[in-house]
Every structure is written in C-alpha cells, then in structure tokens.
Amino acid sequence: MKEAINTVTLEQAQTWVAAWGVKSNIDIKAFLIPEIDITQVLNEDGVENVRAYLGIDENGTPKMMVVGVDKNGQDMINDDQGFYIYDFTKPCPENCDFTSPLMK
C-alpha cells in the first residue's frame, strides 16, 4: 500500500468541519467531485497540481470549479490549448453522505 501524504486524522477533520459550521454563514458542507472531472484535469499536459475556486451561479447554487496548475504555480486556463475550467456542481447538502463521521 502506498503511503498517504497530506492527510489529517478523523478527529482533526471533525474539528475543522465543526468550526466551519460555527464560523461560516455558508450552508455548504462539502462537494461531491465526479471522478471524470479529476481525471480530465490531471491528464492535461503540464498539470502538476489543481486549484479549486468557489462561486455561485445565477440560480444561487454554490459551485466548485477546478483548474490545472503548472510547475510554476500558474493556473492553466486556455480553451484553445485544451486547458479548461471544470465545474464541480454537486454541493452537499443535496449530495451528502449523511452516514459519514464528518456529518456529525
């Protein structure tokens, strides 16, 4: 099994989630991220990382958008060159796992 990096314990994650609920006036707990979106952005030439941006569409639905990031930390956005902005449009509470220990 590959060693996991950049992880936190369940207890730490629960603390952060609880703090979000207390300190944020935004009623979003999480985003369900479709596998195809992650795969597509990571398969773009030169992508070393991804950056997520939060937004709200014209209907008031929260959005998470992800772009590829190059080795210099620059966003890679250029439709003509195949560098896209991916729209992760499945916010929780509508798309939640209510059995998750992070939802308590």
Side-chain angles (χ1 to χ4, degrees):
M1 176 187 269
K2 198 181 231 186
E3 182 181 346
I5 58 172
N6 296 327
T7 64
V8 298
T9 66
L10 174 58
E11 292 77 17
Q12 183 65 65
Q14 288 172 322
T15 299
W16 291 352
V17 168
W20 173 264
V22 170
K23 296 179 180 180
S24 174
N25 61 356
I26 299 170
D27 188 32
I28 293 296
K29 301 188 182 316
F31 284 89
L32 175 65
I33 303 171
E35 179 271 338
I36 189 67
D37 293 338
I38 293 292
T39 301
Q40 286 179 321
V41 72
L42 289 174
N43 284 335
E44 290 179 353
D45 285 339
V47 169
E48 299 218 356
N49 294 295
V50 295
R51 182 169 286 120
Y53 288 90
L54 298 176
I56 298 174
D57 74 8
E58 57 280 352
N59 298 314
T61 302
K63 300 287 187 173
M64 175 184 276
M65 299 156 287
V66 172
V67 299
V69 177
D70 69 17
K71 66 181 178 183
N72 298 313
Q74 301 295 304
D75 288 356
M76 300 172 68
I77 302 171
N78 186 318
D79 287 354
D80 293 337
Q81 295 178 4
F83 302 120
Y84 302 105
I85 302 168
Y86 294 88
D87 174 16
F88 298 150
T89 59
K90 300 187 184 320
C92 167
E94 290 84 21
N95 295 278
C96 297
D97 172 7
F98 292 105
T99 65
S100 171
L102 295 179
M103 291 295 291
K104 297 181 182 199

